[in-house]
Amino acid sequence: MSLSERLETIAAYVPKGGTLADIACDHALLARSLTARGHVSKAIAADLRAEPLRRAKVAAQSEGLSSERLIFRQGNGLEILAPGECDVIVISGVGGKLIQKMLDQVPQVVDQAKRLILSPQRSPWLVRRWASEHQFRIIDERVIMENGYFYEVIVLEPGSAGPPLSDVAIHLGPLLAARKDLFTRQYLAWRKEADQRALAHMRKVAAENPAVQAKIDYLLCIWQSWEEEYDGFNG
Protein backbone atom coordinates (compact mmCIF):
# COMPACT_ATOMS: atom_id res chain seq x y z
CA MET A 1 0.00 0.00 0.00
CA SER A 2 1.51 3.31 -1.08
CA LEU A 3 1.41 6.32 1.21
CA SER A 4 1.72 10.02 0.51
CA GLU A 5 5.06 11.66 1.20
CA ARG A 6 3.66 13.15 4.38
CA LEU A 7 2.46 9.80 5.71
CA GLU A 8 5.69 8.06 4.65
CA THR A 9 7.63 10.68 6.58
CA ILE A 10 5.49 10.03 9.64
CA ALA A 11 5.79 6.26 9.17
CA ALA A 12 9.58 6.52 9.18
CA TYR A 13 9.43 7.88 12.73
CA VAL A 14 7.29 5.01 14.06
CA PRO A 15 9.60 2.54 15.85
CA LYS A 16 9.29 -1.07 14.82
CA GLY A 17 7.15 -3.23 17.09
CA GLY A 18 4.85 -1.95 19.78
CA THR A 19 1.41 -0.41 19.44
CA LEU A 20 0.51 2.57 17.30
CA ALA A 21 -2.44 4.89 17.90
CA ASP A 22 -3.42 6.71 14.70
CA ILE A 23 -5.69 9.52 15.89
CA ALA A 24 -7.93 11.48 13.49
CA CYS A 25 -7.00 8.70 11.10
CA ASP A 26 -9.55 9.44 8.35
CA HIS A 27 -9.31 6.27 6.21
CA ALA A 28 -6.55 4.84 8.42
CA LEU A 29 -4.00 4.63 5.61
CA LEU A 30 -1.08 4.91 8.01
CA ALA A 31 -2.37 2.29 10.44
CA ARG A 32 -3.34 -0.09 7.62
CA SER A 33 0.02 0.27 5.89
CA LEU A 34 2.17 -0.24 8.99
CA THR A 35 0.04 -3.22 10.04
CA ALA A 36 0.32 -4.78 6.57
CA ARG A 37 4.09 -4.29 6.59
CA GLY A 38 4.38 -5.95 9.99
CA HIS A 39 6.05 -2.81 11.24
CA VAL A 40 3.84 -2.59 14.35
CA SER A 41 2.49 -5.40 16.47
CA LYS A 42 -0.87 -3.67 16.79
CA ALA A 43 -2.50 -0.46 15.60
CA ILE A 44 -5.51 1.44 16.89
CA ALA A 45 -7.13 3.65 14.26
CA ALA A 46 -9.51 6.27 15.63
CA ASP A 47 -11.65 9.02 14.20
CA LEU A 48 -14.58 11.10 15.37
CA ARG A 49 -16.51 10.40 12.17
CA ALA A 50 -18.27 7.11 11.50
CA GLU A 51 -18.16 7.02 7.69
CA PRO A 52 -14.37 7.19 7.18
CA LEU A 53 -13.95 4.46 9.80
CA ARG A 54 -16.54 2.29 8.07
CA ARG A 55 -14.71 2.62 4.77
CA ALA A 56 -11.38 1.94 6.46
CA LYS A 57 -12.77 -1.25 8.02
CA VAL A 58 -14.03 -2.46 4.64
CA ALA A 59 -10.62 -1.72 3.07
CA ALA A 60 -8.77 -3.48 5.90
CA GLN A 61 -10.94 -6.57 5.51
CA SER A 62 -10.30 -6.67 1.77
CA GLU A 63 -6.57 -6.39 2.48
CA GLY A 64 -6.73 -9.37 4.82
CA LEU A 65 -5.71 -7.43 7.92
CA SER A 66 -6.55 -9.11 11.21
CA SER A 67 -9.09 -7.36 13.44
CA GLU A 68 -6.89 -8.35 16.39
CA ARG A 69 -3.92 -6.40 15.04
CA LEU A 70 -5.83 -3.46 13.54
CA ILE A 71 -8.52 -2.10 15.84
CA PHE A 72 -10.97 0.63 14.84
CA ARG A 73 -12.54 2.98 17.37
CA GLN A 74 -14.86 5.91 16.92
CA GLY A 75 -14.47 8.66 19.47
CA ASN A 76 -13.09 12.03 20.47
CA GLY A 77 -9.30 12.30 20.15
CA LEU A 78 -7.28 10.40 22.73
CA GLU A 79 -10.31 9.64 24.88
CA ILE A 80 -10.59 6.28 23.10
CA LEU A 81 -7.27 5.14 24.60
CA ALA A 82 -6.48 3.68 28.01
CA PRO A 83 -3.28 4.77 29.81
CA GLY A 84 -0.34 2.63 28.69
CA GLU A 85 -2.28 1.09 25.81
CA CYS A 86 -0.04 2.43 23.06
CA ASP A 87 3.64 3.22 22.60
CA VAL A 88 3.36 5.76 19.78
CA ILE A 89 0.63 8.34 19.17
CA VAL A 90 0.26 9.94 15.74
CA ILE A 91 -2.00 12.96 15.21
CA SER A 92 -2.00 14.36 11.69
CA GLY A 93 -4.29 16.33 9.43
CA VAL A 94 -5.79 18.69 12.03
CA GLY A 95 -4.69 22.10 13.29
CA GLY A 96 -2.18 22.76 16.02
CA LYS A 97 -4.86 24.17 18.31
CA LEU A 98 -6.90 20.96 18.11
CA ILE A 99 -3.80 18.81 18.65
CA GLN A 100 -2.98 20.85 21.75
CA LYS A 101 -6.55 20.36 23.00
CA MET A 102 -6.39 16.59 22.40
CA LEU A 103 -3.13 16.28 24.30
CA ASP A 104 -4.51 18.25 27.24
CA GLN A 105 -7.75 16.26 27.45
CA VAL A 106 -6.22 12.96 28.53
CA PRO A 107 -2.82 13.65 30.16
CA GLN A 108 -2.67 10.18 31.73
CA VAL A 109 -2.61 8.66 28.24
CA VAL A 110 -0.09 11.12 26.84
CA ASP A 111 2.27 10.80 29.80
CA GLN A 112 2.65 7.05 29.26
CA ALA A 113 3.35 7.23 25.52
CA LYS A 114 6.95 6.74 24.44
CA ARG A 115 6.70 8.96 21.36
CA LEU A 116 4.34 11.53 19.86
CA ILE A 117 4.45 12.19 16.13
CA LEU A 118 2.46 15.32 15.33
CA SER A 119 1.84 16.95 11.95
CA PRO A 120 -0.44 19.97 12.30
CA GLN A 121 -2.17 21.47 9.29
CA ARG A 122 -1.50 24.93 10.71
CA SER A 123 -0.09 26.70 13.79
CA PRO A 124 2.75 24.23 14.49
CA TRP A 125 4.12 26.62 17.12
CA LEU A 126 1.24 25.64 19.40
CA VAL A 127 2.52 22.06 19.41
CA ARG A 128 6.03 23.18 20.33
CA ARG A 129 4.75 25.46 23.05
CA TRP A 130 2.78 22.55 24.49
CA ALA A 131 5.90 20.36 24.42
CA SER A 132 7.97 23.01 26.18
CA GLU A 133 5.34 23.36 28.90
CA HIS A 134 4.78 19.62 29.44
CA GLN A 135 8.28 18.15 29.69
CA PHE A 136 8.43 16.71 26.17
CA ARG A 137 11.55 17.23 24.10
CA ILE A 138 11.68 17.67 20.33
CA ILE A 139 13.85 14.89 18.92
CA ASP A 140 13.33 15.80 15.28
CA GLU A 141 11.46 18.15 12.97
CA ARG A 142 10.89 17.86 9.24
CA VAL A 143 9.15 19.90 6.58
CA ILE A 144 7.56 18.29 3.55
CA MET A 145 5.52 19.71 0.68
CA GLU A 146 2.35 17.95 -0.42
CA ASN A 147 -0.13 19.18 -3.00
CA GLY A 148 1.55 22.57 -3.02
CA TYR A 149 1.43 23.08 0.76
CA PHE A 150 4.15 22.93 3.41
CA TYR A 151 3.63 20.68 6.43
CA GLU A 152 5.75 20.17 9.52
CA VAL A 153 6.28 16.84 11.22
CA ILE A 154 7.28 17.23 14.87
CA VAL A 155 8.54 14.24 16.85
CA LEU A 156 8.38 14.39 20.66
CA GLU A 157 9.53 12.11 23.44
CA PRO A 158 9.01 12.52 27.20
CA GLY A 159 11.77 14.14 29.17
CA SER A 160 13.05 17.62 29.72
CA ALA A 161 15.26 19.13 27.04
CA GLY A 162 16.71 21.67 29.46
CA PRO A 163 15.68 25.32 29.58
CA PRO A 164 12.29 26.28 28.08
CA LEU A 165 12.30 26.96 24.35
CA SER A 166 12.79 30.55 23.30
CA ASP A 167 10.03 32.35 21.39
CA VAL A 168 11.92 31.99 18.11
CA ALA A 169 12.46 28.27 18.72
CA ILE A 170 8.74 27.80 19.43
CA HIS A 171 7.64 29.85 16.41
CA LEU A 172 10.05 28.42 13.84
CA GLY A 173 11.29 25.19 15.41
CA PRO A 174 14.64 24.83 17.20
CA LEU A 175 15.91 22.32 14.64
CA LEU A 176 14.28 23.82 11.55
CA ALA A 177 15.53 27.32 12.31
CA ALA A 178 19.12 26.07 12.39
CA ARG A 179 19.04 24.06 9.16
CA LYS A 180 20.81 25.37 6.09
CA ASP A 181 19.45 23.09 3.35
CA LEU A 182 17.66 24.80 0.47
CA PHE A 183 14.24 23.24 1.05
CA THR A 184 14.06 24.22 4.72
CA ARG A 185 15.25 27.71 3.82
CA GLN A 186 12.47 27.94 1.22
CA TYR A 187 9.99 26.99 3.90
CA LEU A 188 11.33 29.59 6.33
CA ALA A 189 11.22 32.22 3.59
CA TRP A 190 7.58 31.30 3.00
CA ARG A 191 6.90 31.61 6.73
CA LYS A 192 8.56 35.02 6.84
CA GLU A 193 6.54 36.28 3.87
CA ALA A 194 3.33 35.05 5.51
CA ASP A 195 4.22 36.88 8.73
CA GLN A 196 5.08 40.03 6.80
CA ARG A 197 1.66 39.96 5.13
CA ALA A 198 0.05 39.52 8.54
CA LEU A 199 2.07 42.42 9.92
CA ALA A 200 0.95 44.70 7.10
CA HIS A 201 -2.67 43.91 7.89
CA MET A 202 -2.25 44.25 11.65
CA ARG A 203 -0.54 47.64 11.41
CA LYS A 204 -3.77 49.09 9.98
CA VAL A 205 -5.62 48.45 13.25
CA ALA A 206 -2.81 48.42 15.79
CA ALA A 207 -3.40 51.98 17.00
CA GLU A 208 -6.88 51.01 18.20
CA ASN A 209 -5.97 47.65 19.72
CA PRO A 210 -3.05 47.14 22.15
CA ALA A 211 -3.30 43.35 21.76
CA VAL A 212 -2.65 43.67 18.04
CA GLN A 213 0.36 45.90 18.70
CA ALA A 214 1.68 43.27 21.10
CA LYS A 215 1.35 40.64 18.35
CA ILE A 216 3.22 42.93 15.94
CA ASP A 217 6.03 43.40 18.45
CA TYR A 218 6.16 39.63 19.02
CA LEU A 219 6.52 38.78 15.31
CA LEU A 220 9.12 41.48 14.74
CA CYS A 221 11.10 40.15 17.69
CA ILE A 222 10.85 36.58 16.35
CA TRP A 223 12.49 37.38 13.04
CA GLN A 224 15.08 39.71 14.57
CA SER A 225 15.99 36.98 17.07
CA TRP A 226 16.26 34.44 14.26
CA GLU A 227 18.73 36.69 12.49
CA GLU A 228 20.76 37.05 15.69
CA GLU A 229 20.53 33.49 17.06
CA TYR A 230 20.58 31.47 13.83
CA ASP A 231 22.25 33.92 11.43
CA GLY A 232 19.07 34.16 9.37
CA PHE A 233 19.40 33.53 5.65
CA ASN A 234 23.11 34.36 5.76
CA GLY A 235 24.19 31.08 7.36
Side-chain angles (χ1 to χ4, degrees):
M1 180 190 308
S2 62
L3 296 176
S4 67
E5 182 179 355
R6 186 182 190 184
L7 289 181
E8 282 290 3
T9 300
I10 292 171
Y13 286 113
V14 177
K16 194 168 184 178
T19 299
L20 163 72
D22 184 8
I23 306 298
C25 69
D26 195 30
H27 294 101
L29 292 174
L30 178 69
R32 285 160 50 200
S33 177
L34 292 182
T35 302
R37 299 177 194 180
H39 189 83
V40 294
S41 61
K42 185 170 73 172
I44 300 168
D47 202 283
L48 185 61
R49 300 164 298 162
E51 183 57 21
L53 280 182
R54 185 193 67 78
R55 294 181 181 181
K57 287 181 184 179
V58 171
Q61 290 170 354
S62 69
E63 292 157 0
L65 299 176
S66 165
S67 60
E68 295 180 354
R69 294 187 58 233
L70 178 54
I71 300 166
F72 293 94
R73 294 179 185 169
Q74 183 182 357
N76 183 23
L78 303 178
E79 292 178 357
I80 56 89
L81 296 172
E85 190 176 18
C86 62
D87 304 296
V88 181
I89 296 172
V90 171
I91 310 177
S92 175
V94 297
K97 187 174 183 178
L98 182 54
I99 291 177
Q100 184 183 40
K101 182 179 178 180
M102 288 181 181
L103 296 173
D104 283 335
Q105 279 179 331
V106 196
Q108 64 270 30
V109 169
V110 175
D111 290 346
Q112 293 195 38
K114 297 177 182 176
R115 178 171 289 186
L116 308 178
I117 306 171
L118 311 171
S119 183
Q121 296 278 67
R122 54 196 168 274
S123 305
W125 50 88
L126 295 178
V127 171
R128 283 188 284 266
R129 179 175 292 127
W130 179 92
S132 183
E133 293 173 350
H134 290 81
Q135 298 297 301
F136 273 78
R137 65 184 184 275
I138 299 172
I139 66 166
D140 206 359
E141 299 176 302
R142 287 279 302 279
V143 176
I144 63 103
M145 177 173 277
E146 190 169 280
N147 298 323
Y149 294 95
F150 288 107
Y151 297 101
E152 292 189 23
V153 177
I154 304 169
V155 186
L156 307 178
E157 289 186 354
S160 175
L165 294 177
S166 66
D167 287 342
V168 66
I170 287 173
H171 194 68
L172 301 177
L175 304 180
L176 295 179
R179 287 191 180 139
K180 310 298 184 183
D181 63 280
L182 178 61
F183 183 72
T184 304
R185 287 310 179 93
Q186 289 173 338
Y187 170 66
L188 293 174
W190 174 81
R191 286 283 305 274
K192 186 173 184 179
E193 289 173 6
D195 281 349
Q196 287 173 334
R197 290 193 298 271
L199 285 167
H201 175 74
M202 288 188 288
R203 285 189 177 105
K204 297 177 182 178
V205 297
E208 304 166 4
N209 192 328
V212 173
Q213 184 59 55
K215 179 66 173 178
I216 291 173
D217 295 340
Y218 174 80
L219 289 176
L220 290 173
C221 182
I222 288 294
W223 290 104
Q224 181 180 349
S225 297
W226 182 60
E227 295 285 348
E228 294 171 354
E229 294 179 35
Y230 296 97
D231 203 20
F233 289 112
N234 299 317

